[in-house]
């Protein structure tokens, strides 16, 4: 999904991304709690692009970077547990 925040700064987008991850981490369902992870990519105009296509491209690229970093961190944590 896409979240549009008019006139947000990069710092504000990072805080929102952290809040989204935290909210999704422990989702309550009728049968109990489940753990959900999310990869987030953010882009801010005008630094990352001036039009929707450019902003979505940058955000998508950053989302995949985030996904890769999360997997690397999880792998490191598993290795440390062994």
């Amino acid at each position: 999904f896409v979240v549009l925040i008019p006139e947000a700064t990069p710092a504000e987008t990072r805080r929102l991304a952290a809040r989204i991850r935290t909210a999704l981490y422990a989702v309550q369902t009728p049968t109990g709690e489940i753990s959900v992870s999310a990869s987030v990519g953010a882009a801010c105009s005008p630094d990352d692009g001036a039009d929707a296509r450019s902003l979505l491209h940058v955000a998508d690229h950053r989302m995949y970077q985030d996904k890769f970093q999360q997997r690397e961190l999880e792998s490191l944590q598993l290795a440390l547990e062994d």
Side-chain angles (χ1 to χ4, degrees):
F1 61 90
V2 175
V3 177
L4 301 175
I5 311 167
E7 301 180 26
T9 66
E12 290 168 327
T13 61
R14 285 190 297 274
R15 282 193 298 275
L16 179 60
R19 288 179 59 199
I20 290 169
R21 279 191 197 98
T22 300
L24 290 175
Y25 185 72
V27 176
Q28 293 293 330
T29 69
T31 58
E33 186 175 284
I34 61 170
S35 179
V36 178
S37 66
S39 298
V40 178
C44 294
S45 180
D47 294 341
D48 297 320
D51 58 63
R53 181 184 211 116
S54 299
L55 291 168
L56 285 172
H57 177 77
V58 170
D60 189 57
H61 178 73
R62 289 181 179 156
M63 179 192 66
Y64 281 101
Q65 286 179 319
D66 186 47
K67 184 182 298 282
F68 177 77
Q69 289 172 347
Q70 285 184 50
R71 285 185 181 158
E72 290 292 309
L73 181 59
E74 288 171 6
S75 294
L76 179 60
Q77 288 171 338
L78 288 174
L80 291 173
E81 290 174 3
D82 288 340

